[in-house]
Amino acid sequence: TAYAGAGDVFRFYEINPQVVDLAYKEFTLLTATQAKIDVVLGDGRLSLEREAPQKYDVIAMDAFSGDAIPMHLITREAFRIYLKHLKPDGVIAFQATNRFVDIAPVVERLASEHGMTAVMISDYPQRGTGPDYWLSGTDQILVTRNAEVLGHDRIRGASETIVARPNFPVWTDDYNNLLRVLKP
């Protein structure tokens, strides 16, 4: 929201009410913005499932950095819900930074199944001294059908197409295999 302007709309789906309270009490990003801010309390997938199509430009998901990833957010059924809410030329962004789990093959398979492209953007700054010591790397996966977005200089120059793993099955609400995506 720090980059938002008048007329922009941000809707946050947050499962933890303490995070919402903290965001409003300790930070100003939700209050000191020109954008319209809406916070929906509850599981993001379940909340989206109950809503009418929203026509989002971007759906950004930041749920995969912990030790226990919410696998129900990266299944065929979940992906269909996201597509219901996404504009045809929109982007789904997955925050994929995780020390233990590589969600890239799961997301690539879901994207491919829907005629979309998944690219990885990794940013690993050089470790420095002083304030630079605290910088850490990040991985983002962008999924879209929008060739213009993928062809933009800043995206094209920083991204790598995620290569499909042979015989990697699509995850569903009834099937997933965490062992296949554990990092060595």
Side-chain angles (χ1 to χ4, degrees), residues 60-106:
M61 303 192 45
D62 184 9
F64 305 104
S65 60
D67 292 345
I69 65 167
M71 290 185 276
H72 76 290
L73 297 180
I74 49 176
T75 65
R76 173 185 283 148
E77 295 83 359
F79 206 80
R80 287 181 183 148
I81 294 168
Y82 309 147
L83 293 178
K84 172 182 128 179
H85 292 285
L86 190 69
K87 288 182 178 178
D89 62 345
V91 175
I92 305 173
F94 293 86
Q95 206 300 19
T97 307
N98 190 296
R99 292 184 308 172
F100 307 109
V101 179
D102 178 12
I103 67 166
V106 179

Side-chain angles (χ1 to χ4, degrees), residues 58-170:
V58 176
I59 296 175
M61 303 192 45
D62 184 9
F64 305 104
S65 60
D67 292 345
I69 65 167
M71 290 185 276
H72 76 290
L73 297 180
I74 49 176
T75 65
R76 173 185 283 148
E77 295 83 359
F79 206 80
R80 287 181 183 148
I81 294 168
Y82 309 147
L83 293 178
K84 172 182 128 179
H85 292 285
L86 190 69
K87 288 182 178 178
D89 62 345
V91 175
I92 305 173
F94 293 86
Q95 206 300 19
T97 307
N98 190 296
R99 292 184 308 172
F100 307 109
V101 179
D102 178 12
I103 67 166
V106 179
V107 174
E108 185 285 326
R109 183 69 179 92
L110 291 166
S112 175
E113 183 175 73
H114 292 89
M116 302 174 87
T117 301
V119 298
M120 176 73 76
I121 299 176
S122 296
D123 179 21
Y124 285 86
Q126 297 292 327
R127 288 284 181 176
T129 57
D132 289 345
Y133 173 81
W134 299 104
L135 297 177
S136 60
T138 183
D139 294 316
Q140 305 291 324
I141 301 172
L142 302 183
V143 175
T144 187
R145 290 183 186 95
N146 190 329
E148 187 176 338
V149 167
L150 294 175
H152 188 280
D153 290 343
R154 296 183 90 181
I155 300 294
R156 191 180 67 249
S159 67
E160 293 182 24
T161 301
I162 299 170
V163 178
R165 285 191 188 173
N167 303 317
F168 191 89
V170 66

Side-chain angles (χ1 to χ4, degrees), residues 27-42:
F27 300 94
T28 60
L29 292 172
L30 298 180
T31 56
T33 180
Q34 297 178 10
K36 178 184 182 297
I37 302 296
D38 186 22
V39 177
V40 177
L41 192 57

